[in-house]
Amino acid sequence: MRNLAALVFVGGLAFLLLVIFNQFDFAQAPMVVGQGILMDAPDRVGAANIVTAVVLGYRGIDTLGEISILFAASAAAGLVLGRRRTDARRDPPGGFILRSGVALLFPLMLVVGFYIILHGHLTPGGGFQGGVILAAAFFLPLLARPETPVNHAGLSIVEGGAGAVFILTGLAALLQGGEFLQPLLDNGVLGELVSAGTLPLLYLAVGLKVGAELAGLMARLADVEVDEP
Amino acid sequence: MNTIVLTVVLPLLAAFVVPVLSRVSPLLGRLLGPLTLAYAILLTLQVWLGMEGKPFSIALGGFQPPLGINFYVDRLSLLFTFLTLVTSLLLWPWRNETEPRQYALTLLLAASACGLVLSGDLFNIYVFYELISVASFGLAAATRSGAAFAASLRYLILSGLGSVLVLCGIAIVYLQTGTLNLAQLSQLAPETLNTPLGMSAFALILLGVGVKGELFPVNSWVPEVYAAASSRVSGLLAGLVSKLAVLVIVRLLVLLFQQESALQLMLILGLLGAISGELAAWRAKDMNRMLAFSSIGQLGVIFIAFSIPGKTGLFAGLALSLHHLLVKPALFLLAERWRGSLVGLRGAGLASPVAGGLFVLLALSLVGMPPLPGFWAKFLLFTGLAAQQSVIYQVALGVVLLSIVIEANYLFRVVMNLFQPAGDNSVAVTTDHGWLNLGTTFLLSALLIAGMLLMGPLGAWLEGVAMQAADPVLYFDTVFSVSAIH
């Protein structure tokens, strides 16, 4: 009976949403803000990747909110998962292929991750994407050798420090008489590595924070006690 | 003036730093949060005195709206920023020495709540709403009992559904108008959102945000979470977070969705919530569940109040919200040592007369006994409802009266029980409420009494707040006059 009610509810909701989406005239949508930003961004922000200009410039406070959401999620998960018994059983170490594969992949992933973060204002990518790759790079050794201790203190320093750098950059602009998160420094030449003012710095902070948070989160999940068979 | 952004940013900064700081020095880690909140309160007061009642808008990052995001600061948003900070400071998890993560989550909740109230951009509001949600999941599960995990999981799933619905609603608004700035939307809305599609966007947002606002069909998480979470967290969720959700809806109603059907939809859901919540509370067998259900009922009444068109509704709704924000956390704090079945509480009031007395005072105000502030708030609601021509508002008047009768019945039943001499079969009741909880409750009750004594000036002032918030033209002019100057 309960399943039937749930099915009716889901069916009804899907039908309603379909009816709503049927009403749209796609590709006809007004682009009030979109057009405005396309005209304004290259000169104002100096980032060759307009998406970055939106993410860190026009909607910088959204990005601050999003990294805070990730932080809240990792803090909440830490609170729930708690500490591990010292005598709990661990997963067995990975095989030869996994271990040598990890040794090969680790430096490559670090390079790719930092490349994507540092070129976030030039090419598609940026702090979030690069940060996830960094997190994966640090999680791989844990898969190969589950008994390696995770340095949670170090991760939390990186996490807190990167978040603080993001906010302090914003506050520096406020102290100089601007608004919070106003881009500082010279825009430079569009398309060069050192350009777009403080945007690359902000993306580096985002990347490190996302990387440290996801790595810590995955390490905690991997650390959950295995049920005794 | 642009220091108001610090009320959002400084608690965020403190939240990022507190886990690291607690490793270095536990004492500093414990002090950082309360000090940050106290400083933010000071900043809010400073801005309040500086603005002289005139609203203003600040463009974050120096990007003028509608391209960038702006914070809109009027008396209403400043009032709720202030209340958010004060409530989080009062309900700070002092007892929790070993777990800096709980400090961080409370700070995140306070920061995002301030951001939600101040923001003038629809998607930015969504981001802060999400942050409130995620922080409250962690706080609800923080007692780490099995019941708390089960309740938080249900809360998480329902909240997730709500977030998706809100996002769909925002997507529809954006597709129809091409902007997310509330001020610009308020100008475009009469042409673009006064359609069935606009109405469906409102319904989606109402249901989605309603999860936190304990709105009728999406409130099934409430009793379990409030029964399992610590009473400080329950107080925060019931007192503060629910009001913020209502505030978002109210802003959208004033600026975007002025059609009558939007108000009627909210009225009907509010009616169902009021009656179902009070009936469930009447049947409830334990203290926290009773308070949770009665909170659903009172939020229903608040939704009813805000669905009265124009300034009257805003005034009545604000008065009810402020009253509930004051009373509900105090009741949850008292209930901390009175958990469990109501029958087992026989004689508890006699055993600790101060706590019992405070409970009676708060219960009387909740029911609406003159001359306590609860009466004036309900009085505003009655006059507002009675002035409406439409039949549905007359029905609402009847339902609200009925809900008050039910509420009075079960609250007095509890009070009678508290002050009856304990029988042989009742369990031993604790007399020790802890000076912290009792002190906080005392402070909140003192504010309630002060509100009663200053009812005249307070009412006039609140009417001014409502008048300013009910004016979409003022909102538009304030936001876009800034770009003209620059």
Side-chain angles (χ1 to χ4, degrees):
Chain A
M1 192 60 217
R2 226 184 145 133
N3 287 343
L4 200 67
L7 198 67
V8 169
F9 173 77
V10 171
L13 191 67
F15 177 71
L16 268 178
L17 289 178
L18 273 180
V19 169
I20 290 173
F21 285 110
N22 207 21
Q23 302 253 326
F24 296 142
D25 25 341
F26 285 105
Q28 301 283 324
M31 288 271 288
V32 181
V33 172
Q35 281 298 345
I37 286 182
L38 280 178
M39 306 293 287
D40 190 51
D43 295 333
R44 279 285 291 283
V45 189
N49 181 3
I50 300 258
V51 175
T52 302
V54 175
V55 168
L56 292 177
Y58 294 94
R59 308 194 68 94
I61 189 93
D62 274 355
T63 307
L64 179 58
E66 274 148 25
I67 59 174
S68 309
I69 291 175
L70 207 55
F71 177 74
S74 110
L79 205 63
V80 170
L81 295 176
R83 288 194 178 25
R84 178 189 169 84
R85 273 185 295 129
T86 41
D87 59 337
R89 227 161 47 89
R90 288 192 178 276
D91 289 332
F96 171 74
I97 295 178
L98 185 57
R99 274 182 285 132
S100 9
V102 166
L104 256 171
L105 273 177
F106 180 73
L108 288 178
M109 287 178 85
L110 275 192
V111 172
V112 172
F114 274 111
Y115 181 91
I116 286 181
I117 292 174
L118 292 176
H119 286 71
H121 58 297
L122 303 176
T123 52
F128 287 100
Q129 295 86 337
V132 173
I133 296 177
L134 287 187
F138 281 98
F139 185 61
L140 275 180
L142 215 65
L143 280 182
R145 296 188 177 78
E147 74 279 8
T148 348
V150 181
N151 185 357
H152 279 292
L155 282 178
S156 99
I157 289 174
V158 175
E159 205 177 302
V165 166
F166 191 102
I167 290 182
L168 290 177
T169 315
L171 288 179
L174 195 67
L175 280 181
Q176 288 189 356
E179 297 286 353
F180 179 70
L181 274 180
Q182 192 152 355
L184 298 171
L185 305 179
D186 202 34
N187 274 351
V189 184
L190 187 80
E192 286 199 356
L193 184 57
V194 181
S195 67
T198 40
L199 259 55
L201 180 67
L202 290 181
Y203 245 169
L204 187 61
V206 171
L208 288 178
K209 193 166 170 59
V210 170
E213 248 144 36
L214 284 181
L217 197 63
M218 289 194 289
R220 261 181 220 293
L221 283 175
D223 220 25
V224 172
E225 288 163 28
V226 188
D227 282 332
E228 298 297 332
Chain B
M1 279 299 151
N2 51 18
T3 49
I4 192 68
V5 72
L6 293 180
T7 56
V8 182
V9 174
L10 288 183
L12 277 185
L13 183 61
F16 291 160
V17 173
V18 87
V20 182
L21 195 65
S22 299
R23 279 175 203 270
V24 180
S25 147
L27 179 72
L28 276 180
R30 284 171 68 184
L31 287 179
L32 181 68
L35 286 179
T36 313
L37 290 177
Y39 182 61
I41 292 172
L42 207 71
L43 282 174
T44 316
L45 290 176
Q46 229 170 29
V47 173
W48 189 294
L49 293 176
M51 76 190 275
E52 290 163 349
K54 274 210 204 70
F56 63 93
S57 144
I58 47 176
L60 289 166
F63 298 98
Q64 296 306 330
L67 297 192
I69 295 172
N70 70 305
F71 275 5
Y72 178 76
V73 189
D74 64 348
R75 285 201 250 176
L76 180 66
S77 51
L78 216 49
L79 171 68
F80 269 88
T81 310
F82 178 73
L83 290 173
T84 299
L85 294 166
V86 171
T87 320
S88 353
L89 188 59
L90 281 179
L91 299 175
W92 184 256
W94 298 99
R95 287 286 172 75
N96 203 307
E97 284 101 5
T98 51
E99 200 43 277
R101 292 198 196 91
Q102 205 170 342
Y103 299 151
L105 287 174
T106 313
L107 283 167
L108 286 173
L109 186 75
S112 51
C114 290
L116 182 82
V117 170
L118 290 168
S119 180
D121 183 282
L122 198 52
F123 190 77
N124 193 229
I125 288 179
Y126 174 74
V127 169
F128 283 124
Y129 179 75
E130 273 295 289
L131 184 50
I132 292 186
S133 311
V134 176
S136 59
F137 302 151
L139 287 173
T143 47
R144 308 193 56 175
S145 61
F149 287 154
S152 314
L153 195 63
R154 173 175 287 214
Y155 178 34
L156 195 149
I157 291 169
L158 207 55
S159 253
L161 176 72
S163 294
V164 172
L165 292 183
V166 178
L167 201 57
C168 283
I170 294 177
I172 294 176
V173 170
Y174 186 64
L175 202 60
Q176 296 297 301
T177 59
T179 181
L180 291 164
N181 184 276
L182 286 183
Q184 199 179 20
L185 281 172
S186 79
Q187 200 192 27
L188 297 173
E191 296 165 29
T192 49
L193 293 178
N194 203 356
T195 56
L197 260 183
M199 194 47 211
S200 62
F202 173 73
L204 288 172
I205 295 177
L206 178 68
L207 277 180
V209 177
V211 174
K212 294 279 174 315
E214 302 173 17
L215 190 67
F216 166 63
V218 281
N219 52 17
S220 55
W221 59 273
V222 172
E224 278 178 65
V225 169
Y226 292 180
S230 80
S231 48
R232 283 174 180 262
V233 172
S234 306
L236 262 183
L237 290 180
L240 187 65
V241 175
S242 60
K243 304 303 172 306
L244 297 174
V246 176
L247 196 73
V248 171
I249 300 285
V250 170
R251 277 270 195 235
L252 294 185
L253 277 174
V254 169
L255 296 172
L256 265 63
F257 304 102
Q258 282 125 341
Q259 52 272 59
E260 211 174 301
S261 45
L263 289 176
Q264 278 170 359
L265 176 69
M266 192 162 98
L267 178 68
I268 291 168
L269 292 181
L271 282 177
L272 292 171
I275 203 74
S276 63
E278 297 296 1
L279 282 175
W282 189 73
R283 287 171 48 108
K285 295 265 188 302
D286 83 36
M287 188 68 149
N288 273 39
R289 274 175 188 275
M290 183 197 83
L291 289 178
F293 281 123
S294 92
S295 163
I296 292 177
Q298 279 132 14
L299 258 304
V301 172
I302 290 175
F303 275 112
I304 293 174
F306 278 120
S307 62
I308 303 171
K311 191 204 74 186
T312 351
L314 221 56
F315 184 25
L318 275 180
L320 283 167
S321 303
L322 291 186
H323 176 253
H324 191 246
L325 175 57
L326 205 61
V327 171
K328 214 37 187 261
L331 282 174
F332 270 114
L333 286 179
L334 278 182
E336 177 163 288
R337 292 301 160 91
W338 287 344
R339 271 169 195 263
S341 108
L342 285 169
V343 187
L345 291 176
R346 239 177 139 166
L350 289 174
S352 46
V354 180
L358 287 175
F359 187 90
V360 173
L361 174 77
L362 295 168
L364 282 178
S365 190
L366 203 57
V367 172
M369 183 68 82
L372 289 164
F375 166 73
W376 295 106
K378 293 223 162 117
F379 182 72
L380 288 173
L381 172 64
F382 289 147
T383 48
L385 283 176
Q388 293 300 316
Q389 302 294 322
S390 158
V391 181
I392 188 162
Y393 286 100
Q394 310 298 329
V395 175
L397 190 60
V399 169
V400 173
L401 279 173
L402 184 67
S403 80
I404 291 175
V405 173
I406 303 174
E407 199 174 349
N409 184 292
Y410 67 77
L411 278 174
F412 288 144
R413 204 174 57 202
V414 174
V415 168
M416 293 286 281
N417 202 17
L418 282 178
F419 285 97
Q420 237 159 45
D424 300 332
N425 56 348
S426 70
V427 276
V429 264
T430 169
T431 53
D432 175 33
H433 276 265
W435 61 270
L436 196 62
N437 279 355
L438 213 53
T440 315
T441 317
F442 205 78
L443 198 66
L444 289 168
S445 311
L447 284 175
L448 195 70
I449 300 288
M452 180 182 86
L453 297 176
L454 296 172
M455 194 41 77
L458 198 65
W461 174 79
L462 201 60
E463 196 170 4
V465 173
M467 202 126 86
Q468 199 179 53
D471 188 356
V473 180
L474 180 70
Y475 195 106
F476 181 82
D477 288 347
T478 309
V479 172
F480 285 104
S481 71
V482 179
S483 16
I485 294 166
H486 276 268

